[in-house]
Amino acid sequence: MLDLRKRSVREAMSVRVDINGAVAETIGSAGVAAAEVEALQPQLIAVADDLRAQRQAGQAAFYELPYERESLAATKALAETLREESETLVVLGIGGSALGTKTLIESVADGSRAVRVADNIDPWSFGALLDGLDLQRTTFNVISKSGETAETMSQFLIVRELLLRQLGGVDYVSKVILTTDAGKGALRQVVHDEGFRSLVIPAAVGGRFSVLTPVGLLPAAFAGIRLDDLLAGAAWMDERCQEPEIWKNPGHLLGTLLYLADTKHRQNIATLMPYSDRLHWFAAWFAQLWAESLGKAQHLDGTAANVGQTPLTAVGATDQHSLLQLFAEGPKDKITIMLRVEDHGRELPVASAYKDIEPLAYLGGTGLGKLLNMEQRGTEVALVKQGRPVITLSVPQINAFTIGQLFYLFEVATVFAGGLYRIDPFNQPGVEESKRLTYGQVGRAGFDAKSEEVRAYLANKKDHLIV
């Protein structure tokens, strides 16, 4: 177990951001030049000052999540109770209520309890999940801040009916935990009406920034993850991101380089490519964070913006055999962020055999972890040789402390980039119209006009354009 009280241990477990492969000094004109960063200094200082003021005013509440002790204690206590009651926790949530939890479970859960995340309403997969559950040994964690998330609420109503039929109106209440707003919304009303146990999503924390709230912490603790280590990792990254010098601040530097790659070098696609299957869901979490935070139609002053860098996910070494050809020789519109894991936690040695067949013989004596890291380095160098920018994040090990750092690093980078784009990284107006049009089709009161819009769209479709 890591002794995180020692600064030397935290230093040894630090996630490092290597920008060598993304700067002009290394790759020429496709890379960000030091002069471009220096020219941005007035904006960098202004954004840092503004975010500091927002933090002090409680407007960027995710910054303080590593230090929320009262909420942490309540979450730990409930998780311990649930571990005694159930073998399986099923999370009903979508987007920010699911992706962080999936990352935690896939990367650092100890396997002592099963956590399943139902993050879509595909009837085939959700039905299959329900069919395989022992309801006597299962608890459902329903997560929605507003209590109006159509997908999650639909799942909840299905589960509620299933539990009522099998367990009855008294016992079923103990099988549901609601994680929602403290004082308002449909789910908070349900808590008051039916007496479900509940946890609180802080009012000032949006879904995609909520992994270090009870949204992610309850499932993590149920799965055996050390919450203290997770939050210590986030706090350690917070300390490092307080550095005023841009070249020494990992979060601000990462956000700045990605912003400049987009706005100055036309690299409007940012690929996150972990060289670890355990970090596959982290890449998906990043994609939501980056896209939903930065893809905006308006600047803060109301002028047209239409900005945002498109996130793309890949996994090494798998996607070296699919996407890499495009990365290496396709349009020069991408910057790649690689996650390199120095110690994969186990090693599988490759046996020596077929010594007379050179394409097989050379592999003997190495290990899969070493080979995977050699492939990462080889791909990094190959892209840089082609003038394709690469930022490499080195992760000493995959554990709760380093995962906490990664979450916090990318959150800081995102809001800092948002400041440079001069947009609000905490809202998501672009997803609301889709919700309203769905409400209209389902028949929710007050959305009749939206139902008419859908009908009109379908009525105006041309038969000759359907083949």
Side-chain angles (χ1 to χ4, degrees):
M1 187 180 300
L2 297 172
D3 185 355
L4 297 173
R5 295 168 298 179
K6 296 181 178 179
R7 190 175 186 87
S8 60
V9 174
R10 298 197 298 273
E11 288 281 3
M13 282 291 125
S14 289
V15 173
R16 300 296 181 187
V17 180
D18 178 357
I19 65 170
N20 278 279
V23 296
E25 184 179 352
T26 305
I27 64 170
S29 61
V32 172
E36 292 176 312
V37 177
E38 295 306 320
L40 208 59
Q41 277 296 335
Q43 290 170 256
L44 300 177
I45 294 170
V47 170
D49 289 345
D50 181 59
L51 289 173
R52 192 177 304 109
Q54 288 187 46
R55 179 173 186 169
Q56 292 171 351
Q59 297 168 349
F62 83 91
Y63 278 118
E64 302 302 331
L65 294 177
Y67 315 103
E68 288 286 344
R69 295 303 156 194
E70 183 177 348
S71 174
L72 177 62
T75 302
K76 283 181 175 180
L78 180 54
E80 191 59 37
T81 299
L82 294 181
R83 284 174 64 87
E84 295 172 358
E85 297 175 354
S86 300
E87 294 176 352
T88 302
L89 180 70
V90 177
V91 174
L92 306 182
I94 196 167
S97 298
L99 293 172
T101 295
K102 283 192 168 188
T103 298
L104 288 166
I105 301 309
E106 291 297 322
S107 61
V108 289
D110 66 10
S112 60
R113 293 290 187 278
V115 175
R116 306 285 298 278
V117 181
D119 67 334
N120 206 350
I121 52 172
D122 184 315
W124 183 271
S125 56
F126 188 57
L129 185 155
L130 295 178
D131 292 343
L133 295 175
D134 176 0
L135 295 184
Q136 296 286 352
R137 300 294 294 160
T138 301
T139 298
F140 294 86
N141 182 200
V142 185
I143 304 174
S144 173
K145 188 176 181 181
S146 67
E148 297 184 2
T149 311
E151 300 90 348
T152 303
M153 295 304 97
S154 297
Q155 292 174 331
F156 170 50
L157 294 174
I158 291 169
V159 166
R160 180 180 183 273
E161 181 66 19
L162 183 64
L163 291 171
L164 280 170
R165 287 203 309 265
Q166 295 199 21
L167 304 180
V170 175
D171 291 343
Y172 103 98
V173 174
S174 67
K175 297 298 182 181
V176 177
I177 308 295
L178 303 184
T179 304
T180 189
D181 188 87
K184 61 183 180 180
L187 281 187
R188 185 52 59 185
Q189 181 178 337
V190 170
V191 170
H192 293 323
D193 292 347
E194 298 202 51
F196 291 115
R197 291 174 290 184
S198 68
L199 290 171
V200 171
I201 304 174
V205 178
R208 58 189 177 274
F209 292 89
S210 68
V211 64
L212 299 181
T213 75
V215 168
L217 297 184
L218 178 67
F222 181 85
I225 296 169
R226 288 180 53 82
L227 301 190
D228 290 333
D229 289 0
L230 180 70
L231 295 176
W236 175 241
M237 183 56 70
D238 182 31
E239 179 179 332
R240 294 173 62 200
C241 290
Q242 302 285 344
E243 170 61 50
E245 170 57 52
I246 186 67
W247 299 104
K248 298 179 181 179
N249 185 317
H252 292 184
L253 182 60
L254 180 59
T256 298
L257 290 185
L258 292 175
Y259 166 78
L260 288 172
D262 178 25
T263 59
K264 299 296 185 182
H265 297 270
R266 299 183 179 180
Q267 293 152 6
N268 60 357
I269 297 173
T271 302
L272 187 63
M273 189 172 187
Y275 274 73
S276 170
D277 287 343
R278 295 163 68 189
L279 295 177
H280 166 75
W281 281 109
F282 182 81
W285 173 86
F286 158 77
Q288 185 206 4
L289 178 73
W290 200 249
E292 203 167 66
S293 298
L294 301 181
K296 298 295 163 63
Q298 292 185 337
H299 292 298
L300 291 171
D301 62 6
T303 58
N306 298 116
V307 298
Q309 194 177 39
T310 300
L312 181 66
T313 66
V315 176
T318 301
D319 286 314
Q320 290 176 200
H321 297 268
S322 59
L323 296 174
L324 180 57
Q325 175 62 36
L326 177 67
F327 296 169
E329 296 187 357
K332 294 187 175 183
D333 58 356
K334 302 170 193 68
I335 181 170
T336 301
I337 310 157
M338 292 184 172
L339 299 184
R340 173 187 173 90
V341 179
E342 301 298 345
D343 178 357
H344 290 273
R346 65 178 298 182
E347 185 60 286
L348 292 178
V350 178
S352 296
Y354 302 107
K355 294 184 178 180
D356 57 335
I357 305 176
E358 195 279 332
L360 298 178
Y362 81 97
L363 292 169
T366 189
L368 290 187
K370 290 181 179 178
L371 180 59
L372 186 58
N373 285 355
M374 291 174 186
E375 297 225 22
Q376 179 278 318
R377 194 65 81 202
T379 305
E380 176 186 347
V381 173
L383 288 173
V384 168
K385 285 176 64 179
Q386 293 278 5
R388 312 298 172 115
V390 178
I391 296 172
T392 303
L393 273 61
S394 178
V395 182
Q397 299 172 2
I398 297 178
N399 55 43
F401 183 70
T402 56
I403 292 294
Q405 290 180 69
L406 285 172
F407 280 134
Y408 203 87
L409 169 66
F410 277 90
E411 288 175 348
V412 171
T414 298
V415 297
F416 197 80
L420 294 173
Y421 281 112
R422 297 182 294 113
I423 53 88
D424 182 353
F426 298 114
N427 67 2
Q428 54 280 335
V431 305
E432 298 305 319
E433 183 64 0
S434 170
K435 293 180 181 180
R436 289 188 288 264
L437 290 165
T438 300
Y439 294 154
Q441 293 174 82
V442 178
R444 181 175 175 177
F447 292 88
D448 294 345
K450 295 301 175 183
S451 178
E452 289 300 323
E453 285 186 39
V454 174
R455 278 197 286 269
Y457 169 76
L458 294 176
N460 287 328
K461 284 196 171 187
K462 306 297 189 294
D463 288 343
H464 70 276
L465 297 179
I466 301 174
V467 296

